Amino acid sequence: MASSGTTRAIAAALVANVGIATAKFVGYLLSDSSAMLGESVHSVADTVNELLLMVGKRRARKRPDALHQFGYGRSRYFYSFVVALTMFTLGSAFTLYEGYRKITHPEPLSTPLVPILILVVAALFEGYSLRTARNQSRPLKGSSSWWGFVRNSRTPELPVVLLEDTAALTGLSLAFIGVTLTILTGNAVWDGLATVGIGVLLGGVATLLIIETHSLLIGEGATSGQYATIQSALETARHVDRIFELRTQYLAPDELLVTAKVVFDPKMELETVADAINGAEADVRAVVPTVRAIYLQPDYERH
């Protein structure tokens, strides 16, 4: 369910960005607005990003093999990291350069009303994409804030699309302001300043994505709520006296690894211990379905 929702959000963003990028490039060619060029590159970067996210999801479905015995689920984290780098290099760096060029060598806009019309239409498409991403994210977001969802989600694609679309709408607003001020004042420096603002915006979003996806790549554990639920399920499992050294790590957005040492009565028979471990594993999976691999090491109380 979550996977299909993620795919739907990526597909909506991809379709929107292909059309928007084409329209923005036409607008740039007709108006020579650097803000339009910056926004065009922004949309191209977003289009490439959606394709990379699709590739990551496809790669993650590969079956485990001798080299990757826990599967390829982390491909989704890797490609999300590449997305952040693409946004930083292709989007932010180029846009900042173009803004600097326009400020130092300002040129008047030709057919200035064309970019205004294109920016308005682009905002409608981006708004649709953002609404789709928000609708697909709500079941995973729960009661947390949108900022909390972006920072704490173990599913990388939806936060990426949410940040991309939010940045896109903000960038469109900056471009609209820059082009409008250029038309009203006749000073093309406003167009260049808006372009620089778009570049700074993309750089900030890319930096945030780099930080978050890097954390996922090196391995994040269960959320605090999931950890408490897993701990409670193990501690209340049949025959378990107590647990310690509980460790968790996400192998993929929907695959959580759990390990722990479980204390039993040392006088228990081996068969009873084995049944107790199997029961504890079933209890954990019942309350946290994303737990796919769980390894419990039996131990006893030392005095």
Side-chain angles (χ1 to χ4, degrees):
M1 182 74 174
S3 179
S4 62
T6 301
T7 302
R8 192 175 299 114
I10 297 172
L14 177 61
V15 171
N17 281 314
V18 169
I20 291 169
T22 303
K24 287 177 180 176
F25 267 122
V26 172
Y28 161 69
L29 293 173
L30 293 176
S31 66
D32 197 34
S33 165
S34 65
M36 285 301 297
L37 179 58
E39 274 299 298
S40 301
V41 174
H42 181 177
S43 292
V44 170
D46 285 353
T47 302
V48 173
N49 291 343
E50 266 76 69
L51 291 172
L52 287 170
L53 293 176
M54 290 287 196
V55 171
K57 290 201 70 177
R58 184 178 181 84
R59 293 278 299 174
R61 290 197 292 266
K62 288 183 63 177
R63 290 182 173 274
D65 52 36
L67 186 60
H68 299 92
Q69 297 179 4
F70 282 101
Y72 289 80
R74 278 191 179 161
S75 291
R76 292 170 68 179
Y77 297 148
F78 170 76
Y79 280 94
S80 296
F81 185 75
V82 175
V83 162
L85 294 178
T86 302
M87 182 181 291
F88 190 83
T89 54
L90 181 60
S92 179
F94 178 85
T95 305
L96 285 171
Y97 167 76
E98 180 61 23
Y100 168 79
R101 188 190 67 79
K102 192 60 176 278
I103 291 173
T104 54
H105 300 87
E107 299 173 359
L109 301 181
S110 55
T111 61
L113 293 181
V114 172
I116 294 290
L117 177 61
I118 291 175
L119 288 171
V120 171
V121 174
L124 295 175
F125 278 102
E126 291 289 2
Y128 164 75
S129 177
L130 178 60
R131 187 181 68 176
T132 302
R134 286 169 63 95
N135 289 340
Q136 301 305 324
S137 300
R138 280 195 175 90
L140 295 176
K141 183 179 82 71
S143 59
S144 65
S145 65
W146 286 109
W147 177 246
F149 172 69
V150 169
R151 293 301 307 272
N152 298 316
S153 176
R154 303 306 191 259
T155 302
E157 295 89 357
L158 288 173
V160 168
V161 174
L162 283 169
L163 286 173
E164 278 185 355
D165 289 345
T166 302
L169 284 171
T170 306
L172 289 169
S173 300
L174 291 173
F176 184 87
I177 292 171
V179 172
T180 301
L181 288 174
T182 299
I183 295 172
L184 294 176
T185 65
N187 188 350
V189 169
W190 289 111
D191 187 37
L193 289 173
T195 309
V196 170
I198 294 168
V200 171
L201 171 69
L202 290 175
V205 172
T207 300
L208 175 61
L209 285 176
I210 288 171
I211 293 171
E212 291 300 316
T213 53
H214 169 261
S215 180
L216 291 169
L217 261 180
I218 63 176
E220 288 190 359
T223 64
S224 57
Q226 290 173 329
Y227 188 94
T229 301
I230 293 169
Q231 185 177 38
S232 175
L234 289 174
E235 288 175 341
T236 57
R238 193 162 174 261
H239 297 304
V240 173
D241 290 340
R242 71 183 184 91
I243 65 167
F244 60 100
E245 294 186 15
L246 174 60
R247 302 285 186 270
T248 64
Q249 187 175 98
Y250 267 93
L251 304 173
D254 52 359
E255 295 180 22
L256 182 61
L257 168 68
V258 175
T259 66
K261 287 188 177 182
V262 184
V263 176
F264 296 104
D265 185 337
K267 297 179 181 179
M268 283 177 57
E269 295 182 356
L270 180 59
E271 183 178 355
T272 305
V273 171
D275 289 341
I277 288 176
N278 290 334
E281 292 178 354
D283 291 346
V284 170
R285 290 192 175 98
V287 292
V288 183
T290 53
V291 174
R292 299 296 176 86
I294 178 168
Y295 301 100
L296 303 179
Q297 179 181 333
D299 210 325
Y300 63 92
E301 199 75 62
R302 296 174 176 82
H303 299 286

